[in-house]
Amino acid sequence: MRDVAIVAFAQTRHTGHDAGQTEPELILPVIDEVKERTGLKRFGFTCSGSCDYLAGAPFSFVSALDALGAWPPISESHVEMDGAWALYEAWVRLQHGDIDSALVYGFGKSSLGDLNTIMTIQLDPYYLAPLGLDLLSYAALQAGAVGADRKELDEIVRRSRADGRANPYALDLPDPDGEDFAVRPLKKTDVPPITDGAAAIVLAAGDLAGELCPNPAYIRGIAHRIEPHYLGMRDLSASASAADAARAAGVGKGPVEVAELHAQFPHEEIILRRALELPGETVINPSGGPLAANPVMATGLIRIGEAARRILDGDASRTVGHAAGGPCLQHNLVTVLEA
């Protein structure tokens, strides 16, 4: 295996509304930022993550390439999912040995449509979609299966929003108050905020990592696992795929100072802490996590970027970044980063 490290990370100052930017206009500043930080103008490989359904247009990721420029030609790929999986593809591509750098980015504008309706489209069209259950309904089923204490859930939301207010890139959300329910047992404040945003990461292999960055965040383990699509075939109170991915990535092989978890609902944080077997001293989502900013298709990539940033800034030596996709934590990717 080649040594591959994250050497730069940038994200937008996320908004809870449409700020009038096209997707290339949303992406361009973060790409320019990571180029400036690394000094690189071109990359051996470029990979993006997004969802055409959010934009309401087929192959919308192609128009987003305007942010990179059409000439000279680049080696490019795309995943129709969170940018975290674009990072995984780029990591695999770097293992081939013929290139030394890769640009990864993810982006999404959830404000343009009804996110619940859009995410329901991903469900099996014969057995699941006709049931009429949407993103919140499935999350509520899982929250009921977990059966967590309401005080614990409220504390997770309160902590996440407070951390988010201290994060200039997240949304400024007030502390949870009241008993208004979205779908029982989920309160409205348990639901991640509608968010528009983007993020970019630069990967470098071999000696190039040390040349571009004084404190590279080396990827010492990365793995993803997926469970059956049908909820009746899964134990919703746990996440077998997250646990398997954590073991394969080697989370338990050392202390974890910071873990950035793609927990869109407070009960998901409880499930993921157990699945990754994180010790009590691990700091969870100091950025505020998805409960403070949830730019769909970039949220998971931002979790990895935020985990890497602790190492890039010299504040930590071993962190974990996690990304999830599908209903009720169906698909999980775990990345272990070390100084």
Side-chain angles (χ1 to χ4, degrees), residues 92-156:
V92 172
R93 180 66 183 84
L94 285 166
Q95 295 301 323
H96 292 190
D98 58 326
I99 60 171
D100 294 324
S101 64
L103 170 66
V104 179
Y105 63 96
F107 60 95
K109 296 185 67 174
S110 302
S111 65
L112 298 181
D114 183 343
L115 187 61
N116 277 343
T117 301
I118 291 170
M119 299 308 288
T120 302
I121 297 172
Q122 73 180 322
L123 301 176
D124 176 277
Y126 301 104
Y127 296 103
L128 295 183
L131 295 177
L133 298 176
D134 60 16
L135 174 70
L136 294 184
S137 301
Y138 280 116
L141 285 174
Q142 187 171 46
V146 173
D149 181 73
R150 186 66 251 178
K151 290 183 179 180
E152 183 178 7
L153 297 177
D154 287 342
E155 179 53 35
I156 291 172

